[in-house]
Amino acid sequence: MDFIEVTLKVNAEFADILTAELGELGFDAFVENEDGFSAYIDEDKFSQPELEETIARYTDFTQIDYSTRKIERQNWNEEWERNFEPLFIGDKVSVRASFHEKPANAEYDIVINPKMSFGTGHHETTTLMIENQLTLDHQGKRVLDMGCGTGILAIMAGELGAKEIVAVEIEDWTVENARENAELNGYGTIDVRLGGAETIAGDSPYDIILANINRNVLLEDMPAYVAVLKKDGYLLLSGFYTEDLPMLQERATELGLTYLSHHVKNNWVSAIFQK
């Protein structure tokens, strides 16, 4: 399967909004640049009319220029190698690709070869989730990563000492990529599953559940998460905006969860709840 790249030149104020909008259209990888960002989607899922309709909703408010091109699957590595810069999160976590040198001052070192999967740490939601993970005791815990993308949060759980880790994704090529990254970081025992919330029904309870997806999926699937969350266990959510937080807090309260805290970065949120 080949991919379509859409490169948007847009004011930073609207870049996050358009990222979320394109995510709803099926775009599942994003690369930031100085003038905006590039978004990627499977060729068979791409709709030019849907793209134009989405962009048109914002042209009264900001200047948006965009271009599209087809990328053959085998050339994807070249794309992300050109754009993927190493970074530090929370002054403790190094996230880099395999072609970057290992930094000397990192407490935790994660190697991610993302291919077309979302989750290199560069997006605010991934960074926020890792920052929140650093505040929780993972030692010997059982951890679930829903919508795992590259597997970065599951790998972070392993770095923090989790004993059992399950990761779930809806795309088969993403599952493949998550497994590759888990092996690359020495966590080949991570159980990476293909599917959605139905794959965790009846699982043994988890101490920590991580879900960095989007508002609608979180609202719909939260009951499934709570059903397999231990008493006193933690649910970490991200993939939504500050204006969505009250809605998610209300849903969590209905399900017997207690809101503990949240962090914000460029209007994106990651929140922690406890059962």
Side-chain angles (χ1 to χ4, degrees):
M1 179 68 64
D2 294 330
F3 307 107
I4 299 297
E5 175 193 69
V6 178
T7 299
L8 295 99
K9 184 176 181 181
V10 61
N11 186 290
E13 180 183 355
F14 287 88
D16 286 340
I17 296 172
L18 283 168
T19 297
E21 289 273 20
L22 295 185
E24 294 295 326
L25 296 183
F27 287 80
D28 47 24
F30 304 88
V31 176
E32 296 180 3
N33 55 53
E34 291 182 0
D35 299 320
F37 66 95
S38 295
Y40 300 86
I41 187 171
D42 288 346
E43 185 180 18
D44 66 346
K45 296 179 181 178
F46 176 66
S47 167
Q48 183 73 31
E50 285 185 349
L51 173 66
E52 293 175 354
E53 180 183 348
T54 298
I55 291 175
R57 290 202 293 269
Y58 296 94
T59 52
D60 287 342
F61 307 101
T62 186
Q63 176 72 31
I64 303 174
D65 297 313
Y66 77 94
S67 62
T68 64
R69 68 179 178 123
K70 179 178 176 179
I71 299 177
E72 295 183 3
R73 186 179 183 90
Q74 59 265 32
N75 293 335
W76 171 243
N77 283 2
E78 177 185 336
E79 295 299 316
W80 65 260
E81 285 185 21
R82 188 174 69 241
N83 292 289
F84 186 7
E85 295 295 330
L87 75 159
F88 259 79
I89 298 174
D91 297 324
K92 291 184 176 183
V93 183
S94 164
V95 180
R96 61 186 177 90
S98 55
F99 53 84
H100 296 135
E101 290 188 10
K102 180 179 178 179
N105 57 337
E107 186 173 344
Y108 306 104
D109 179 45
I110 298 177
V111 180
I112 294 294
N113 290 335
K115 297 186 178 177
M116 271 301 290
S117 301
F118 181 83
T120 61
H122 291 76
H123 193 272
E124 289 89 344
T125 59
T126 312
T127 298
L128 288 165
M129 288 289 283
I130 288 177
E131 289 175 346
N132 275 336
Q133 281 184 270
L134 290 170
T135 69
L136 298 180
D137 177 16
H138 286 60
Q139 197 67 42
K141 305 297 186 181
R142 180 169 160 81
V143 178
L144 171 65
D145 179 8
M146 294 298 299
C148 66
T150 60
I152 186 172
L153 302 182
I155 293 166
M156 187 71 245
E159 289 287 295
L160 292 170
K163 183 179 180 181
E164 296 180 71
I165 307 168
V166 174
V168 179
E169 250 299 343
I170 61 172
E171 298 283 358
D172 53 1
W173 51 263
T174 308
V175 168
E176 176 186 343
N177 184 220
R179 286 173 177 159
E180 291 172 351
N181 286 322
E183 291 275 1
L184 186 61
N185 287 272
Y187 298 105
T189 57
I190 292 176
D191 176 10
V192 186
R193 304 175 183 174
L194 174 64
E198 77 284 351
T199 66
I200 62 172
D203 277 8
S204 299
Y206 294 92
D207 299 283
I208 299 171
I209 298 179
L210 314 166
N212 180 16
I213 309 179
N214 65 55
R215 182 196 67 187
N216 292 339
V217 172
L218 295 176
L219 289 170
E220 181 178 349
D221 290 352
M222 208 183 301
Y225 307 156
V226 174
V228 293
L229 183 63
K230 285 184 180 178
K231 187 179 184 309
D232 297 323
Y234 297 95
L235 174 62
L236 278 63
L237 303 179
S238 194
F240 57 92
Y241 295 116
T242 51
E243 53 266 33
D244 300 322
L245 180 59
M247 190 185 309
L248 287 156
Q249 287 174 311
E250 181 179 356
R251 183 66 167 144
T253 299
E254 291 172 354
L255 294 168
L257 299 177
T258 300
Y259 161 78
L260 297 183
S261 65
H262 75 276
H263 291 91
V264 179
K265 187 174 183 180
N266 295 330
N267 204 39
W268 291 99
V269 178
S270 178
I272 303 178
F273 299 88
Q274 188 172 25
K275 189 172 180 179

